[in-house]
Amino acid sequence: MINYLTAGESHGPQLTAIITGVPAGLPINPDQINAALAARQVGYGRGLRQQIEHDTVEILSGIRHGQTLGSPITLAIQNRDHANWGTVMDPFGQAGREDAKRALTDPRPGHADLVGGMKYGQTDLRNILERSSARETAIRVAVGNVCEQLLATLGIQLCGYVRQLGLALAQGDEPLDVSQLAQGIDNDVRCFDPAMIPAAHDAIDTAKQKGDTLGGLIRVVANGVPAGLGSHTEWNTKLDGQLAGAVMAVNAVKGVSFGIGFDVASVPGSQVMDEINWTPEAGYTRASDQLGGFEGGMTNGMPIVLNAAVKPIPTLTRPLKTVNITNHQAAKASRERSDTSAVVPASLVIENVVAITLAQAITDTFDSNSLPRLQKQLSAYRQELRNF
Ligand SMILES: Cc1cc2nc3c(=O)[nH]c(=O)nc-3n(C[C@H](O)[C@H](O)[C@H](O)COP(=O)(O)O)c2cc1C
């Protein structure tokens, strides 16, 4: 089964990930990883850090002659900004004047600064910020893209996009077809409704002028996922629960739902459940996808539709009230260089985290040592489902 670990501080020398359990024989295209990294860096509302970084992946193990070996894959992304930090992030540098300038003692409400400092006994909260920063999501996107490349060879595609940014809302229903979606969201808000673009720009511009930040709603759709991933048998094998956990673990995500989401609380059952059809060609399908592709913790063969609520960025240029941890006096929260909204890049990060979780479910379910064997098993399984 695929697993991964990431390491690296926001202004340290590099971000690193090690992925295990990727089947041998998977062709990897580094240009695709780099395209995903570039997409994470752009989008309306991004800040100055993105002008410094030009994220590109280095592959240090697990791939030979363009194909995976089945051994751990090491990925790295250099932090160009590290060069501007002198000895501040040097593992063995001496604390000096520069460190004092970059020290953080006025914790930002909504960030990990204060609780992280309390828990880890750190009086320079930079020691918390450096790892809690969403800079780490760059390497998660690289891991996710390796998983997306695996899923593509198995006929599974994903698309993450923005449905709401502040009060700017997409109107109408988007298609559940990933290729149609991907074409439609090719804009700097990653939204499908073109009328939402100027409204989102205005919302971000206004928030920026006020020194404020904005959250929003993301949706990820996955096509081609076979029925029966996950399981009803044990609480921790339910795939909707695993996806919700993985997506909630993306910085700033505060809510996850599937399909019509929290409307399940108010809509009568007759309009929530997806009625069952059968045809000889397709086997079992559903008349609708209200439940977002999950029943009993298992995929049901319909498109997965996952929604995520992203909170506004905690670093405000008009800072909130806080307390200085050195003297316990009232203070204004620290102002790191920051975005106005992370909603657009978050849609890509969340898409990639969903890809990782789906790739984990597939490699957990089938023999995944070699890609051709995995492909053979999956196509036999799909045939079995059609004949059920
Ligand atoms: C892609 C992305 C970019 C982000 N950029 C910033 C940022 O520039 N400034 C900031 O304060 N928070 C940013 N955040 C959010 C924080 O990382 C997050 O709020 C913080 O780590 C606390 O975690 P929590 O919100 O999950 O509780 C970003 C989040 C994402 C997903």
Side-chain angles (χ1 to χ4, degrees):
M1 175 184 168
I2 288 179
N3 250 313
Y4 76 106
L5 182 72
T6 75
E9 279 70 41
S10 180
H11 300 96
Q14 68 175 40
L15 299 163
T16 312
I18 298 183
I19 323 173
T20 54
V22 178
L26 171 70
I28 292 291
N29 180 351
D31 294 343
Q32 275 183 38
I33 305 177
N34 289 332
L37 292 176
R40 195 198 73 97
Q41 289 199 264
V42 294
Y44 211 75
R46 279 301 233 171
L48 290 174
R49 174 81 189 260
Q50 305 313 319
Q51 291 169 19
I52 299 171
E53 303 297 346
H54 299 282
D55 292 340
T56 46
V57 72
E58 285 169 65
I59 298 178
L60 300 160
S61 77
I63 294 176
R64 183 164 180 250
H65 300 159
Q67 290 204 354
T68 55
L69 302 172
S71 50
I73 298 172
T74 307
L75 307 175
I77 299 171
Q78 299 302 318
N79 289 325
R80 287 195 175 197
D81 205 10
H82 179 63
N84 304 321
W85 282 66
T87 58
V88 177
M89 293 304 295
D90 184 331
F92 299 104
Q94 298 296 314
R97 236 182 329 157
E98 188 64 12
D99 292 74
K101 241 172 48 194
R102 307 271 198 177
L104 197 157
T105 49
D106 298 325
R108 294 161 299 170
H111 227 298
D113 307 343
L114 180 59
V115 239
M118 290 160 71
K119 178 176 164 77
Y120 289 92
Q122 298 294 318
T123 49
D124 179 358
L125 303 178
R126 174 154 302 287
N127 291 339
I128 305 303
L129 171 157
E130 282 293 327
R131 182 62 183 158
S132 67
S133 156
R135 175 76 189 135
E136 184 271 350
T137 60
I139 198 76
R140 257 193 277 184
V141 166
V143 173
N145 191 269
V146 169
C147 293
E148 285 207 16
Q149 294 194 38
L150 169 65
L151 294 173
T153 68
L154 307 172
I156 298 170
Q157 276 92 25
L158 300 94
C159 181
Y161 61 97
V162 176
R163 297 192 86 206
Q164 182 176 348
L165 212 157
L167 291 177
L169 275 171
Q171 300 298 325
D173 289 331
E174 300 89 27
L176 290 180
D177 180 82
V178 163
S179 43
Q180 247 178 296
L181 275 172
Q183 272 175 23
I185 62 154
D186 190 13
N187 56 65
D188 65 5
V189 182
R190 280 180 74 88
C191 66
F192 191 80
D193 175 11
M196 186 185 151
I197 302 170
H201 288 179
D202 280 355
I204 288 178
D205 293 346
T206 309
K208 196 171 180 180
Q209 272 164 22
K210 291 184 178 160
D212 218 328
T213 58
L214 284 182
L217 279 178
I218 305 293
R219 176 166 275 184
V220 178
V221 174
N223 289 169
V225 182
L229 288 186
S231 171
H232 64 292
T233 57
E234 304 289 341
W235 69 268
N236 55 355
T237 58
K238 291 175 189 265
L239 185 57
D240 48 1
Q242 291 170 357
L243 276 167
V247 172
M248 280 292 270
V250 173
N251 308 37
V253 172
K254 292 295 135 192
V256 180
S257 72
F258 293 89
I260 61 168
F262 282 22
D263 285 352
V264 292
S266 51
V267 176
S270 56
Q271 289 162 48
V272 170
M273 312 311 154
D274 301 306
E275 290 187 316
I276 301 173
N277 295 328
W278 184 86
T279 62
E281 303 76 40
Y284 290 102
T285 57
R286 303 305 163 105
S288 54
D289 196 17
Q290 304 275 88
L291 292 172
F294 278 96
E295 286 165 307
M298 292 171 281
T299 51
N300 64 7
M302 292 299 287
I304 292 180
V305 179
L306 177 145
N307 310 300
V310 177
K311 82 179 188 195
I313 279 170
T315 311
L316 307 184
T317 48
R318 187 174 292 173
L320 296 172
K321 289 181 195 159
T322 190
V323 172
N324 180 281
I325 62 159
T326 318
N327 58 21
H328 294 166
Q329 297 298 304
K332 292 284 184 190
S334 155
R335 275 188 288 172
E336 284 286 309
R337 187 182 42 211
S338 191
D339 303 331
T340 305
S341 172
V343 174
V344 179
S347 66
L348 197 97
V349 175
I350 295 168
E351 171 191 313
N352 279 278
V353 164
V354 170
I356 296 170
T357 311
L358 292 181
Q360 287 178 316
I362 291 214
T363 52
D364 189 32
T365 307
F366 302 96
D367 176 348
S368 303
N369 292 325
S370 101
L371 181 67
R373 196 179 309 132
L374 172 60
Q375 285 170 320
K376 222 158 88 186
Q377 281 185 35
L378 197 59
S379 84
Y381 176 68
R382 284 187 164 121
Q383 188 57 43
E384 191 186 319
L385 294 180
R386 273 193 295 274
N387 296 339
F388 182 79

